[in-house]
Amino acid sequence: MTTALQPPLPSHPVLRLRLAPHGNLPRAIDGAWWPRSYDLLVELPRLLAGLPGAWGHITSVTVNGATWPAVPGRMLVSNQVVRLHRTLVASAPRTVVLLAPGQGRWDLLVVPPDTTEKAAEPLMSAAAGRQV
């Protein structure tokens, strides 16, 4: 009897992130992130690990408190402290703001985890391809 070997499943799901091209013009949105859940303690380390190295070390993250139910004041990501802030500003319900001292600020559109792929694709493309 022979058994077909299946390739192992990836230990970490593929990061669903699209970034806008780097340019000199300021942008309202720098890209889009489509997390797999609303568990920030699981999702944020994956996001930060997938960012370009040129962005530097992200030390501060601001999320919408209505979107992310549990947000501690800080967390350890890759042996670095990241401060977390909650906002309830209605003008930015679906964004995450990333700050790296001396490097810059990046605002990402957050596509809700339960969004279908068909609905998420145009949102991700628009956020990465043109000013939103």
Side-chain angles (χ1 to χ4, degrees):
M1 176 178 185
T2 60
T3 305
L5 296 176
Q6 302 241 343
L9 294 173
S11 60
H12 299 288
V14 174
L15 178 64
R16 301 184 295 191
L17 175 69
R18 295 245 183 101
L19 301 176
H22 179 66
N24 294 331
L25 297 175
R27 300 178 54 86
I29 294 291
D30 298 295
W33 173 43
W34 183 19
R36 297 181 185 280
S37 75
Y38 288 106
D39 186 346
L40 194 61
L41 298 176
V42 170
E43 298 297 335
L44 188 59
R46 291 179 187 158
L47 170 63
L48 298 182
L51 295 175
W55 285 22
H57 169 62
I58 303 297
T59 61
S60 178
V61 176
T62 302
V63 298
N64 186 283
T67 302
W68 302 94
V71 178
R74 63 181 176 229
M75 66 186 287
L76 196 61
V77 178
S78 299
N79 293 323
Q80 302 274 345
V81 174
V82 177
R83 296 200 182 284
L84 302 175
H85 307 277
R86 286 179 63 153
T87 182
L88 295 176
V89 176
S91 64
R94 288 190 175 165
T95 60
V96 61
V97 178
L98 310 170
L99 296 173
Q103 298 293 321
R105 168 188 167 147
W106 297 273
D107 292 38
L108 300 178
L109 172 73
V110 176
V111 177
D114 53 356
T115 304
T116 65
E117 188 170 349
K118 184 177 180 179
E121 181 59 34
L123 295 171
M124 304 267 303
S125 293
R130 62 180 174 78
Q131 288 191 1
V132 177

